[in-house]
Amino acid sequence: MLDVLSQITQKVSMANDLNEALAIIVTKVQKNIEADVCSVYLQNDQNEEEFVLMATIGLNPSCVGKVILSAGSGLVGLVAQKGDPVNIAQAQKHPAFRVFQELQETAYNGFAAIPIINHKKILGVLVVQSQQSKKFSQETIDFLLTITSQLSSSILHAKAIDRLPVNSVSSINSDRPIIGSPVSPGVAIGQASLVISSQHLGLVPNHQNKVVEDEIKLFMSAVDEVKKELKALSEELENDNLLKEDVAIFDAYIMMLDSKSFISKTLNYIRSGNWAPGALRQTIEEYVDLFEAMENRYMQERVKDLCDLGQSVLNKMLGSEEKIDFNEQSILVAEDFSAMTLSKITSKNVKGIISVKGSGTSHIAIIARALGIPTVMGLSDIPLRRLNDCQLIVDGYSGKVFISPSEAIFKEYRQFEKEEIQLSKSLQVLKDKKAETKDGVVIPLYVNLGLEEGISSAKDTGAEGVGLFRTEFPFMISKQFPGEQEQTPIYRSVLKSFAPNPVVLRTLDIGGDKTLPYFHISEENPFLGWRGIRISLDHPEIFMIQLKAMIIASEHSNNLHIMLPMVSTLSEIEEAKLLIIRVYAELVSQNYQVALPKIGVMIEVPSLIFQVNDIVKRVDFLSIGTNDLIQYLLAVDRNNSQVADLYQSLHPAVLKAMNQIIISGRDHGLPVSVCGEMASDPLATILLLGMGVSSLSTNIAALPRVKWVIREFSQKEARHILAHVLQLSDTILIRDYLEDKLEEKGLAGLIRAGK
Ligand code: PEP
Ligand code: MG
């Protein structure tokens, strides 16, 4: 059954639309469990209380789209309402059974219905029926449960595809947005431009090709390369004395790549206008259909091989680089972005960013936010392949994305866009003003940076220093570990640009979701694994080069602060300090005119919350890394869009922990800053002000917004608000209360589209 499951999942993920996806499900399920009927009912988008027959094998096909059941009515309605499967031998004797004459289902007795549930929401019901009066076996029910749980997200995805106007199923209103995680505030209206990575053949869209001959050449040389690799592999395995049948599979692949029909089909698609990757996908899809229609089980099982082969050719065509084609009206769309791609764009050449993967505090999200481009991530329902060139609206406040909506929605958002421009103009006025509360408390505002390119826009916002320079980003876009000569100028440029104001350089924080192409780490649980300071201390040779580069770079500016990431025990601080002092002493002995840098620790692992009293004796400053602190406190992966709604920066436990850290630090006279993304949230600003934070380090786009909030409140007011919030036990109540407070000050425009 595992084979059947993976075949169905694979085919459904390649379906062009909802009808095709559902047809695959009912056909395959009916055949594999030998039922007489298999049908799918889905919730009506117009009325969530209704379930519509969407696909069937065995019942009257003309009823598709016409038979509608209310939740609670009939057996299907009952399952849809309760979310519990049923399995009965004689459906017609069940009190809830309802007759639909037109369905012609009176001949069927055995009946099982399984709810299709995604993230607690009942999307529909899968029904199987048999003429025989029998209950389906437990094994069959388990299989159906596995199918529905596996396919619910694909069904949701296919439903999203059908929202597009290019599809004929248009009772569904395209004014209904798809909702993801809001990542970077702002509103963008533009044209979708798909970033193609070589990740998934099934996601490759059709594209008008530019020069037919170039596409043909691209395709043919990819085929040749794959053939060569397969030949070499087959020879190697033969020498290893592998079974003849195992080696034969490679010959079969090569034959397939050589086959006239494979080549000519793809070339035909190219000649009729598609680009080579799209043409390849079309050919592979055609073969998959053909193989699956065969009665021969062996051929059916070859579908996976076929897809793998297509994928290899695609990888050769696209290389490891992502392909992007964009202009200043584009909204970049991708399954996932790499740091490399985002390093190529600026707020001047792209209007918005959306992606299937990622959530608010993933590192890719942090880069997007630093660019100040409206961004939504975690859009698992977005119909990627169908999106290219569509008109999109991205609402980076609410996480809504509209695909080719009506003129009324465009009008509303054009107005919001205008208001956004006005808002940024009024924020610009604050550039040279201090972040000073109504009762005279000044909170220095620093900026988070990762690449030198951000320096000038950071200065434009009026940042008074750098509260976090993520040194790993230059490492991530390098081809090998950058040496002292490569690192020093980068650090010098940021230190010099802000001198005499402080610049906090964080030591290398790789591991977790930040990988280096040249330093492979393979772990089951990377966020709890070899990360940050743990790697630096295990590789003192790399750590010391970095420390040396940092200290040399600080010559003459003397504003260097070194910050240690991912510290979980005091001994790590001690060890790192020894190395810092050793490097410093060596440099002094070599006559470098340098000052001993200030040393600080990020509080981002929960164990440190309870050790602030000990840490304060060992360091000069603390900075709370809320991005990780929240993920470790709440046990919610910061990158996982499946659990993004549980990642709550205003969770009562998070706020209590933050308050405790800030109070303990300040009681010992140690400055405590916040450099996680929470510092960039205008709602949280009020609370951090109330807690008595010493400074904040925000992303570039957020800095003026945070300044505006600070200037509208007094610290006394903020303390009252904090005291009230600390009594509340629920994140939603806290959020609503803080939103009201911003609204009262006329600052609602900072947290939603429009005034
Ligand atoms: C944090 O964890 O809050 C932080 C600032 O570090 P990073 O996001 O780079 O892990
Ligand atoms: Mg961190």
Side-chain angles (χ1 to χ4, degrees):
M1 279 303 186
L2 212 56
D3 275 0
V4 178
L5 185 67
S6 78
Q7 253 187 40
I8 300 181
T9 317
Q10 177 123 25
K11 275 222 84 181
V12 168
S13 75
M14 289 178 87
N16 285 307
D17 57 29
L18 182 63
N19 289 343
E20 196 182 321
L22 297 179
I24 294 166
I25 295 171
V26 292
T27 318
K28 293 273 172 196
V29 170
Q30 184 259 352
K31 191 166 165 201
N32 279 287
I33 66 166
E34 292 176 8
D36 297 312
V37 174
C38 179
S39 320
V40 171
Y41 293 79
L42 288 187
Q43 191 177 48
N44 186 349
D45 278 317
Q46 313 298 307
N47 177 355
E48 298 201 342
E49 286 299 299
E50 287 178 353
F51 289 79
V52 186
L53 175 67
M54 295 295 290
T56 185
I57 288 280
L59 297 182
N60 182 356
S62 67
C63 292
V64 168
K66 295 188 189 128
V67 167
I68 300 178
L69 290 160
S70 303
S73 148
L75 275 169
V76 171
L78 200 66
V79 173
Q81 188 180 52
K82 298 227 162 107
D84 278 341
V86 300
N87 181 14
I88 39 187
Q90 285 188 302
Q92 290 158 44
K93 293 209 172 137
H94 194 284
F97 184 78
R98 258 188 74 194
V99 184
F100 282 90
Q101 294 301 351
E102 60 277 32
L103 276 178
Q104 298 158 4
E105 63 177 342
T106 41
Y108 303 108
N109 292 296
F111 179 101
I114 314 287
I116 304 169
I117 301 182
N118 187 271
H119 277 282
K120 301 179 201 154
K121 191 169 153 44
I122 301 181
L123 305 180
V125 181
L126 174 80
V127 178
V128 291
Q129 293 172 271
S130 69
Q131 284 186 0
Q132 231 184 336
S133 299
K134 62 155 194 188
K135 272 185 162 191
F136 286 89
S137 70
Q138 192 53 46
E139 197 194 349
T140 302
I141 299 297
D142 293 344
F143 169 72
L144 296 176
L145 275 167
T146 316
I147 287 272
T148 52
S149 60
Q150 274 278 302
L151 291 181
S152 62
S153 58
S154 306
I155 291 174
L156 207 61
H157 184 77
K159 256 180 125 175
I161 292 180
D162 274 353
R163 294 211 188 117
L164 290 179
V166 286
N167 199 290
S168 57
V169 186
S170 253
S171 59
I172 303 162
N173 189 346
S174 60
D175 285 355
R176 273 167 37 103
I178 297 183
I179 301 188
S181 299
V183 161
S184 178
V187 166
I189 302 175
Q191 195 173 26
S193 174
L194 197 60
V195 178
I196 315 285
S197 70
S198 50
Q199 279 172 4
H200 191 342
L201 177 65
L203 291 176
V204 171
N206 293 336
H207 243 331
Q208 182 61 43
N209 63 34
K210 290 188 182 127
V211 183
V212 170
E213 289 316 315
D214 289 351
E215 298 301 306
I216 291 180
K217 226 192 261 164
L218 181 69
F219 169 66
M220 291 308 292
S221 62
V223 169
D224 277 347
E225 274 184 68
V226 174
K227 268 189 335 202
K228 262 189 220 141
E229 281 181 9
L230 288 170
K231 268 187 196 137
L233 205 62
S234 141
E235 277 163 21
E236 206 176 297
L237 292 176
E238 235 169 274
N239 293 340
D240 284 353
N241 289 333
L242 229 78
L243 285 179
K244 270 215 154 48
E245 303 87 88
D246 288 335
V247 178
I249 187 84
F250 293 102
D251 299 333
Y253 282 172
I254 295 169
M255 263 165 65
M256 159 101 201
L257 289 178
D258 272 335
S259 85
K260 279 217 173 69
S261 69
F262 173 75
I263 303 286
S264 63
K265 265 185 207 309
T266 312
L267 295 188
N268 280 346
Y269 284 127
I270 294 177
R271 288 196 185 103
S272 48
N274 210 349
W275 68 321
L280 171 71
R281 195 208 72 246
Q282 285 181 297
T283 306
I284 295 289
E285 279 178 351
E286 219 180 296
Y287 274 109
V288 168
D289 286 343
L290 195 74
F291 278 28
E292 287 201 338
M294 292 181 190
E295 289 300 316
N296 182 333
R297 195 167 174 81
Y298 176 81
M299 291 310 280
Q300 287 175 353
E301 283 166 7
R302 297 282 69 79
V303 165
K304 166 122 196 1
D305 297 337
L306 191 65
C307 293
D308 288 348
L309 195 61
Q311 187 70 51
S312 308
V313 178
L314 179 76
N315 292 349
K316 286 279 173 269
M317 281 199 270
L318 296 180
S320 57
E321 285 258 318
E322 288 166 323
K323 301 274 177 287
I324 36 177
D325 182 13
F326 60 88
N327 59 42
E328 61 286 355
Q329 289 308 313
S330 300
I331 295 194
L332 288 190
V333 183
E335 166 96 11
D336 204 0
F337 283 96
S338 67
M340 187 71 102
T341 307
L342 291 189
S343 72
K344 289 182 197 141
I345 61 176
T346 70
S347 60
K348 306 233 163 31
N349 60 20
V350 158
K351 280 192 105 177
I353 297 174
I354 61 172
S355 69
V356 174
K357 295 198 175 145
S359 57
T361 47
S362 60
H363 282 98
I364 290 303
I366 288 169
I367 305 179
R369 201 159 26 232
L371 293 166
I373 301 175
T375 304
V376 176
M377 291 184 167
L379 288 154
S380 46
D381 303 336
I382 205 95
L384 267 192
R385 227 173 77 192
R386 308 276 298 276
L387 227 49
N388 216 22
D389 297 338
C390 281
Q391 283 297 315
L392 300 180
I393 296 177
V394 178
D395 181 340
Y397 292 99
S398 63
K400 289 181 187 161
V401 172
F402 294 88
I403 304 167
S404 308
S406 65
E407 184 48 34
I409 299 274
F410 271 121
K411 204 167 152 206
E412 186 182 357
Y413 271 88
R414 269 186 222 115
Q415 179 59 27
F416 289 159
E417 242 189 347
K418 273 191 204 141
E419 290 170 9
E420 283 284 308
I421 294 168
Q422 279 165 14
L423 176 71
S424 40
K425 276 194 187 138
S426 42
L427 289 172
Q428 243 156 23
V429 177
L430 300 179
K431 182 185 163 198
D432 298 317
K433 302 209 162 110
K434 286 212 164 319
E436 183 172 359
T437 62
K438 295 261 182 227
D439 47 0
V441 178
V442 177
I443 308 285
L445 289 188
Y446 305 133
V447 79
N448 293 347
L449 289 181
L451 293 168
E452 277 173 279
E453 286 77 4
I455 294 176
S456 78
S457 25
K459 296 206 84 170
D460 282 349
T461 62
E464 296 162 75
V466 177
L468 166 65
F469 187 85
R470 291 183 165 93
T471 59
E472 54 277 7
F473 288 144
F475 280 68
M476 283 160 83
I477 57 175
S478 172
K479 293 201 164 46
Q480 55 192 7
F481 275 113
E484 183 199 311
Q485 267 95 16
E486 283 80 36
Q487 293 185 54
T488 309
I490 301 174
Y491 304 151
R492 183 175 291 128
S493 115
V494 60
L495 285 158
K496 251 175 100 176
S497 306
F498 286 90
N501 288 350
V503 168
V504 180
L505 298 184
R506 181 175 70 181
T507 61
L508 189 63
D509 185 20
I510 49 168
D513 63 339
K514 285 177 287 191
T515 51
L516 302 179
Y518 46 87
F519 186 70
H520 190 61
I521 306 174
S522 166
E523 291 178 311
E524 291 270 318
N525 205 343
F527 273 107
L528 298 184
W530 209 34
R531 247 199 102 176
I533 196 71
R534 300 171 182 181
I535 297 184
S536 295
L537 294 178
D538 284 350
H539 278 285
E541 75 289 13
I542 295 169
F543 190 38
M544 297 225 289
I545 290 175
Q546 181 172 45
L547 294 174
K548 202 168 164 195
M550 285 177 171
I551 300 176
I552 292 177
S554 72
E555 214 178 14
H556 310 304
S557 55
N558 291 340
N559 54 348
L560 170 63
H561 292 52
I562 295 182
M563 182 157 73
L564 310 172
M566 190 65 191
V567 170
S568 57
T569 66
L570 297 182
S571 62
E572 290 164 330
I573 305 176
E574 301 286 9
E575 254 186 87
K577 267 180 74 178
L578 278 179
L579 291 173
I580 295 173
I581 291 166
R582 194 170 118 191
V583 171
Y584 167 72
E586 271 169 25
L587 291 174
V588 171
S589 73
Q590 292 164 26
N591 293 328
Y592 281 98
Q593 304 295 303
V594 288
L596 181 66
K598 293 222 179 315
I599 301 174
V601 161
M602 290 192 78
I603 308 285
E604 53 182 351
V605 177
S607 59
L608 293 199
I609 303 170
F610 309 101
Q611 290 200 287
V612 174
N613 291 351
D614 296 311
I615 299 169
V616 290
K617 297 173 203 142
R618 293 166 167 84
V619 297
D620 304 306
F621 66 96
L622 301 176
S623 187
I624 308 179
T626 51
N627 306 338
D628 280 312
L629 185 65
I630 295 169
Q631 85 162 340
Y632 295 132
L633 261 184
L634 303 181
V636 181
D637 180 345
R638 62 192 269 189
N639 291 319
N640 185 342
S641 48
Q642 287 268 55
V643 288
D645 54 345
L646 290 174
Y647 187 98
Q648 297 165 352
S649 53
L650 298 176
H651 189 292
V654 170
L655 299 179
K656 290 194 168 78
M658 303 275 298
N659 198 31
Q660 184 174 325
I661 300 165
I662 294 172
I663 291 173
S664 319
R666 300 219 69 170
D667 281 353
H668 290 85
L670 210 67
V672 184
S673 183
V674 177
C675 63
E677 288 300 306
M678 189 169 173
S680 302
D681 174 1
L683 291 179
T685 305
I686 312 170
L687 301 178
L688 298 175
L689 191 57
M691 292 176 194
V693 74
S694 325
S695 59
L696 291 173
S697 189
T698 74
N699 64 60
I700 297 176
L703 194 138
R705 294 165 183 255
V706 169
K707 191 184 275 186
W708 200 9
V709 176
I710 292 174
R711 291 175 59 84
E712 289 300 316
F713 284 84
S714 68
Q715 191 168 51
K716 196 166 159 216
E717 240 177 314
R719 279 205 198 104
H720 281 305
I721 294 173
L722 173 69
H724 178 76
V725 162
L726 289 176
Q727 302 303 315
L728 300 175
S729 55
D730 183 86
T731 310
I732 297 175
L733 291 179
I734 295 173
R735 182 167 290 281
D736 287 351
Y737 177 72
L738 292 172
E739 282 181 4
D740 284 350
K741 292 292 159 196
L742 279 191
E743 193 100 41
E744 279 168 21
K745 300 272 184 188
L747 299 177
L750 295 177
I751 47 165
R752 61 166 155 73
K755 278 186 181 154

